[in-house]
Amino acid sequence: MNHLEYHSRSRRRFLRGSGLALSLPYLPSLEARRFQKEGTHSPPLRAAFLHFPNGAWMQDWTPKPGADSLNLSSSLSPLAAHRSELTVLTGLDKQHSRTSDGHAHKTANFLTGMPVRTTTEGDFSAGGISIDQRIAEYLQGQTPVPSLVLGVEPIPAGVDASTGVTLLYSSCISWQSLSRPVLPQNAPAAVFDRLFGVRAEVDGVSVSRISLLSKVLEHSRSLSRGLSAVDRQKLDEYLESVHQMETRIRFETQHSEHRSLRYSAADFARPPHPEQFSSHLSAMLDLIVLAFRMDATRVISLMMANDVSQQVFQMPHGISEPHHSLSHHQNIPDRIRQYQWINQWYVRNFSGLLSRLRDVSEGDGTLLDYCMLVFGSGMSDGNEHHPDDLPVVLAAGERTGIQGNRHLQTPVGTTPLCNLYLSLLQRFNSEERQFGDSDGILF
Amino acid sequence: MYPTECPQSPHSLPGLIVSVGIVLLLFCVARGPAVDVAAEVYARADADFCELIDRRLRRSSLMRLALFSPATASLDGVQLDEWCRGQRSFRFPGDSDESAMFVQGPTPSVAGVRVDAFPLEAAHVADLKSFTAECWFRWHGKGSRPGPNAADIASIMSFGDAINHGWGLSLNLVTGHVTFSIGRDKPQGAASITSVSRIPPHVWVNVAVVRDADSVRCYVNGLLSAVGKGVGVSGTAPPWAKLRLGYVGNGLGSAVCDFAGAALYDQPLTDRDVFRLNHTKVSVQMMSSLLKARSLLVAGQPSEALVVLWNCEEATSQSCGLTEVESYLELEQIEDAARSAAAVISSGDAAAHSSTHSPTVTTLSATEFTKAAVRFLLRAVENGVTFRSSREHRLTGQVNAVRTELSGAAVESLRDANAQYAAEQLQICSEQLSEIFTSTMQSRLQRVCGACHHADGWVTDARRIFAVQQDVDAETAILRADLIEVLASRTMPPRGSDPLSDSDRTSFLRLLRDLPERQSCSRQETSQNRLRQRRRLTRTEFRNSLFELVGVRPGDALLPPSDGGGGEGFDTAAGTLTMSLSTAEQMHNCIASVVRTGVREGGSSVLQQILNEFDAGDPDISDSLLDFAERAWCRKLTADDRELIGSLTAELRVADANAAEQAEGLVAFILMSGDFLFPWIRSDGEGLDRSARAWILARRLALFLWSSHPDATLLQRASDGSLLSPKILESEVQRMLADPRAASLGYNFGEQWLGIRGFTSNVAPENFHPSFTLPVREALMTQAGNFIASLLTTDRPLGDLLRSRVHWMNDDLVDFYGFDQPGTGWRQVSLPDEYPGGVVGLGAVLASTSYPARTSPVLRGRWILDHLLGVRVQPPPPDVPPLTETDESAGSADMKTLMEQHRRSVACRGCHAVMDPVGLTLEGFDAVGRRRRGNDLRATLQPRGTLPDGTELVDAAGLEGWLQSESRAVYRQFARKLLGYATGRRLTLEEICEVDRILDACDASSLSGRMLVQKLVLSRTFLGWSPETDESGLE
């Protein structure tokens, strides 16, 4: 398995290079000592949402029925080690994606479940707030960083002329509001800087950063004069962001005991910019682990690759065609085999993330015990672009109270994907009874 | 047998019938072979009207049931009352089962009549899930409700009891609206629609109702008046269910009506069919006239409206609704109109007259208007009597009644109401006409194109293509143009599948081309330039601007995430440049880091100056800092600005920051301000002084030409306002294009236009093409950018886009191509003639339109159509049959043979008929863009493809020749994209027209890139104002 070797090699290289080493014998004891004073408080829950592109070959994804416990298909077999945390969900759908063809209307609303507007202009919309941003809103003020929105491939500029949509849709799954995407960060170093905040990079200015920010706010407020409502909104988005930065600095001065502040960027090297797609993805997964471990944030979304991703993979028998081309497999067995291989590749990466989370101790268990991770795609079979019976799995640690090792089947066409999201939102003790197009909860 | 039937004494019949004023005659039942069920009843109509309807029903090959012969007697006679009380039914003579029964309404004085047409078997009618029913009736403006508290609803035509089973058409006696309902008391299954049109009293109207598989519709006089989704659920009709005209009972009242005929068809008629039954022809001209007349009427210009309608009737020999309008206008208004038209003619000042009217009228030339006025006047005078009588016929008795009773003021308001009503009617009429046109054209389009394109947006949303409206958005206009183009060029529908005969094609094209009120290039649109707009800097602009101001180039990892894109397809699109916390944080961190490096390790000279002033410990605000702020914000500082900078300086001093920290903090503040991060990108200049406009222009110019911030020279021109002079502006453009910073036109605009961004990471990995290393890919990218940059910044003609084989190459590329070209560094190298000319020959283009393992004529063909020619290529229809494609390494496959599979499939043929031959000509070049050589099987083949019109393209040279013949489209697309990049939005149709004017004003192929940029900068689209207006105002 070429890629696995490559995968672990690159990961080692990154860890060595970055000093982000999750050096197992050392950390548990150190961290245990460090965080002993945190007392009896149970560690917080975390949630992550990972999107993989171009759907999946469902015949080799859906677990075989019959057995009492989870009977993993070969695409999902890399997750066998995490069986006890795993729930495979089949039959979930996004009804608002049924109206149009193409990827945009399936991807942009992966976490909103609401209709996506066909447009190349500024009136774009993903129909509503995404679940990660909803959770972030709910957890506001508990961590220095409200949420991380991560990606690997750069956001493509331009429009898809044939379907008439902005390409923004194929790379953004996180939406602060229906018209306000959060552009995924894909530079590992920048994400790293963000976790450690102002103190990492510009301590010289940090003394006065807060008064600087308030002056920026004061000055920029006057600029909205004479602007149309739409542009004023854009400028307001900036002002709001500046205000949030201010809030973060205040948070860090007021919560000097917060765990994240006990981590110092100096203990780690900033990750270099990865050259290969696989090592890039791996770096992003490492950053998820770091962010959760530091408790810098409790909710993260990751676009493992933009939809319509054209990544080319080194497979056991040669190079694949670009991923998106293969996803239109036309029911040719050889193409399906390659397509399925790529599905499995992403599953393996997800499984790698679970392992890394399990390797970190947290409270009296592991970090994974406190995590809920959704891994899925906005469409099922990429050849058909169906937004029904989506390939979705949930990995939830034992402290989340969600039972694992099961196959949760709902009849196709009856259960919105948002029911899963609402169920997760409620795990954060939210009293929300509705999210997106939800009509109930799953557990 | 029918339960209501009772024995009749034959001898008493004639007297009775005569006494109620109705003579019933039985006609033979003529059953057409194709039509199973229909009923027809005539009652008490004018002879000629009945005859007309009779003819029409015969022509429609309907089965006729019975004819009530003409009669003049009133319905509300005593005899009828008696007849009704008897509850007796009339049995038709002969051996038929037909009979009729007269039933009195609940209020004896206003009796209704019910005619039960019996020969239709209930089961047969009940089985009709899809049907059309219509009837002609004349309502006398009164009727009776079934009880004191019941609604004023009267049954007109019904089947069954119209409640639990069957359906009913009823009339609201107060409002005049008609309602069609099925299964009314079953809310979950009820369908009930009410017409938008009102039934005028004393006028014959035709009301038709249609139920088909997914909707119910109601038509008044052939025009769609109501549509409902849901078709209703009706219970099974019992055997005694009747098809009835008039009173039915069951909570419905009766209306005093005359019936002239009724028909039931066993199939749902289309909008067009129903319209055709009532009107013989709908023309585009008619619709156009109606639209114009409508807006004139609404604008309170009835005389002009009438002129338009007269004109229409004259030209089409059709009713254009003139009488409809007349009937609701007071005679005085008509006479006023005639007088004013006469005045126009007599004064001979038609031009002056027309110019004072609304824009719609001014579209008639002065001569046309005069002609129309003359015709109108003559007709008006000649037909004065007709006017009068028609008015008296059609204005309801209400008007006269009210007139005698009400005061003058009330009459006035009634007239207003009538005028308003007329306008409404006309509006409904024209909307319905255009609705019919639109849906007819839509269904034709779907028939012609839908087999392959059924999932495409332009087919599913075809309405907008045919919508008859004055303001057509650019996208729709482009769609129309595309459609005209492919139909005219016979590219579509593909040959062989042909659902379109030649005459159909011609008429389809003519209708498309004649669509009224298409925006033309001559129309000046000013409103949208009245906007003022800011947008965020893009990632590239942010990086370059920081470097320009601070003198430090930020590393990639520090920069915010890349931006999406929209508009014409560029990241500069204002609408899609968003801001979130992570983006803002990254921008701030980047600014802080760059400023810190600049201050501590040496950045721009301004920064040094600022630091020096802080080092000197001057208690005043640093002058250099204020200059810097002015430069970064591109505007004069206000007192507020100074105060803010002053207070921040003070705060920093209080915090005990050293000189460097103070300078850092203040410079960072200036760069973090929205004034720097959100430049103006549109401004009409209104309310701004000259210098403010010039500052804004300077910044926009720098963003366009340099993707960066204005330099000192440009800012100088802005601050003294001279930049607004077209001459100085021209010279500035030329100076900036000569500057190395203009390379951004290549790496920023060029890369995005060519669609090769991501090429370095997305194309084949090296181990498939060993020589295709990352440095080579990066060099190819640079080469492509340089090609566009040098085209736009020098005197190279636009023709080079398609012709030039001179490319920039470094050592890596020379090795990659295997050329023997000595030299060092980047140098200009000519590709051999066998390579395609212009951008098509760029390695980055050829490779990024290939798969890693093989070339793709489809992707290459599509790229040429989409990027170069601006032809919208649809994505493949879903469910395309698989095309066997093998790996290039298999060696046996001839790509052309494979492509022929595409063209054999009807679903694929249309698009592939153009894409494939175009792409096939490039088959001599491998997946990384090099000429195939040696043992490559295809090196020896001569790639060729045949276009749908029969033109054969052989090899890259053939492609180049064909592109040359289409060069106008290429230049247009290129200029349009460049302007879209510059303005950061999708161009409107007028703006595209401006591009056309620029290209038309000279020989486009010899126009240099430099001049094109200059002309675009001086365009109204870019400036937001007309440059000429400023020249006069200068100095």
Side-chain angles (χ1 to χ4, degrees), chain A residues 7 26 79 101 128 131 151 177 200 268-269 311 324 353 370 379 393 396:
Chain A
H7 180 87
Y26 156 73
L79 287 165
D101 203 29
I131 184 61
S177 72
F268 306 89
Q311 286 297 338
H324 176 245
L353 171 65
Y370 297 92
M379 60 178 71
V393 302

Side-chain angles (χ1 to χ4, degrees), chain A residues 32-46:
Chain A
R33 248 182 294 122
R34 265 193 179 178
F35 303 127
Q36 252 166 7
K37 338 177 217 183
E38 277 184 359
T40 54
H41 284 301
S42 171
L45 294 186
R46 282 87 155 181

